[in-house]
Amino acid sequence: MSGDGDTAPITQAVPTGWRTSLDLRPQLARVRGSAIAIVQIVVAATAAWAFAHYVVGHPAPLLAATVTITSLGLVRDARPRRVLETVVGMLVGILVAEGFVVIVGPGWWQLALALAATLFVARFLSPYPPFAIMAGVQASIVMSLPASQPFSRLVDGIIGGVAALLVTALIPRNPRREEARDGHAVFAAADDAARTVVQALRRGDPLRATRGLEKARAIAPRVDEWRASLDSGLAVAGFSPWLRPQRAELRRHHTVLQSMDFATRNLRVVARRAVYLCDDGERRPVPAELLAELMRGAALVGDSLDDIAMQPVAREAVRAVAARLDPAAILPGGSQGEQNLVTSLRPLAVDLLTATGMPGDEARAVLPRV
């Protein structure tokens, strides 16, 4: 890891001033990241509206477009199951409201009854709160807009839902790009936390050690984001015929994710022990260098997300450190706390080895017996 030495800065400069306020790169990156989703929505909503209007003959198929737009959305999770759940939620609202229109007609008190019934039914069907809200919104639209014939708006909603599912399969969002970005974010966060712990051990700095522990604890939400985008990518790749060739690579990334989940948890254990050791202000360069070497191997594991050829390189880099993790041999005169810190690096090394595709038993066999 570069910048691990005693001269590494404690903080980084934060850009301020008018140039920062005029920087449009975050906005442009947001638009670029949503480009495929926007194309999905435009194509699906237009197709659904046109089919309902020109083929089915509905004069104003508003719900065909709104159901499509809401089902697809601009969210990160583009799994077909999520799209289907959203469609079902809206169709529940349309169906209940259509029934009220047929039985008691439109009006303010009919709206109140239809909305209440829709929300109760939706809450009964799904524990997901937005499911009920989407159903309620569609029920309100149905009770507010006239229709030429009973249940015509339900047909529009079904058309919109089918269009959303078809476009999910035929114009899929790129699952690899989203999950790879989230994966690299996990590796970057782990590297940042480890750098801080390494610097704390080299300087005997308790404040820096505490900061390293805080950073290590903050990795968990990034792991969750990676898992969500990877699960979404696997679901889309299984549903879309165009993305099925990517399933093998996504499954490989899932293996890396599982190992990195355990690795980041073990990194928190290492950070907690570093906090305990640094209370005395003593420098501990040996465990610091071991952790630094392990995280250099972890960086190579991160590189393997984009290039599978980096897996053997990463495996050998981590193996070279793991094979030396004998606390008594590395720190023969060290305290119990120092040897415990080296011991806590052993499961971290195993997790990094399994992230390179090595079986768990083989990874544990790399460690020297203690």
Side-chain angles (χ1 to χ4, degrees):
M1 293 187 301
S2 61
D4 290 335
D6 293 345
T7 59
I10 297 177
T11 59
Q12 294 181 343
V14 177
T16 58
W18 64 270
R19 290 185 178 86
T20 302
S21 61
L22 293 179
D23 186 3
L24 299 180
R25 284 176 295 181
Q27 291 88 337
L28 292 174
R30 186 166 61 244
V31 172
R32 185 169 57 251
S34 300
I36 298 298
I38 291 171
V39 171
Q40 273 188 328
I41 291 171
V42 171
V43 171
T46 304
W49 189 96
F51 185 89
H53 181 71
Y54 294 108
V55 178
V56 182
H58 293 173
L62 172 65
L63 291 180
T66 58
V67 168
T68 305
I69 295 169
T70 308
S71 299
L72 292 173
L74 295 173
V75 296
R76 293 162 57 94
D77 188 355
R79 283 178 288 185
R81 180 177 177 179
R82 187 204 63 80
V83 175
L84 180 60
E85 288 175 350
T86 306
V87 170
V88 170
M90 289 184 287
L91 292 182
V92 166
I94 296 172
L95 178 60
V96 172
E98 287 276 24
F100 270 87
V101 170
V102 171
I103 296 173
V104 298
W108 67 268
W109 64 268
Q110 293 94 331
L111 169 63
L113 289 177
L115 187 56
T118 298
L119 293 175
F120 278 117
V121 170
R123 288 301 288 160
F124 175 80
L125 293 176
S126 173
Y128 186 49
F131 182 94
I133 298 302
M134 289 182 293
V137 170
Q138 300 304 314
S140 300
I141 294 175
V142 170
M143 296 299 296
S144 302
L145 296 178
S148 58
Q149 52 187 335
F151 296 101
S152 61
R153 289 163 296 199
L154 179 61
V155 174
D156 291 341
I158 294 173
I159 292 172
V162 172
L165 289 169
L166 286 176
V167 168
T168 300
L170 300 178
I171 311 177
R173 303 176 190 182
N174 187 345
R176 286 278 305 280
R177 180 174 58 189
E178 185 83 24
E179 68 84 15
R181 182 168 63 245
D182 290 340
H184 286 301
V186 169
F187 281 95
D191 183 68
D192 185 32
R195 284 173 183 268
T196 306
V197 173
V198 167
Q199 292 169 7
L201 290 169
R202 285 177 170 164
R203 303 178 186 186
D205 186 343
L207 292 178
R208 192 180 292 267
T210 301
R211 179 58 179 153
L213 177 58
E214 292 171 354
K215 290 182 177 181
R217 287 171 173 165
I219 302 173
R222 296 187 179 275
V223 174
D224 293 338
E225 290 176 358
W226 188 14
R227 179 175 287 106
S229 60
L230 188 52
D231 288 345
S232 176
L234 283 166
V236 173
F239 183 73
S240 171
W242 316 117
L243 295 179
R244 287 183 181 176
Q246 296 188 14
R247 284 183 295 179
E249 188 68 1
L250 289 169
R251 284 194 290 264
R252 182 177 73 85
H253 286 194
H254 191 269
T255 300
V256 178
L257 164 65
Q258 294 294 94
S259 296
M260 284 305 298
D261 186 9
F262 292 124
T264 55
R265 297 182 192 189
N266 283 315
L267 181 59
R268 290 198 294 272
V269 174
V270 173
R272 281 196 294 269
R273 293 193 173 178
V275 170
Y276 171 77
L277 280 179
C278 288
D279 276 344
D280 61 8
E282 294 292 327
R283 297 172 181 258
R284 291 178 171 85
V286 174
E289 185 55 33
L290 289 172
L291 177 57
E293 289 184 30
L294 272 181
M295 296 312 295
R296 279 194 283 269
L300 295 174
V301 177
D303 293 340
S304 72
L305 290 178
D306 299 324
D307 183 3
I308 194 174
M310 292 300 298
Q311 265 195 342
V313 180
R315 185 180 302 124
E316 292 308 311
V318 177
R319 188 204 298 267
V321 186
R324 294 157 41 209
L325 291 178
D326 182 346
I330 292 177
L331 294 170
S335 66
Q336 185 65 45
E338 290 172 331
Q339 293 194 358
N340 287 340
L341 177 59
V342 175
T343 300
S344 68
L345 296 176
R346 290 165 63 92
L348 175 59
V350 170
D351 294 332
L352 293 177
L353 285 172
T354 58
T356 67
M358 180 181 288
D361 292 341
E362 186 177 339
R364 286 185 286 272
V366 173
L367 299 172
R369 293 187 178 183
V370 294

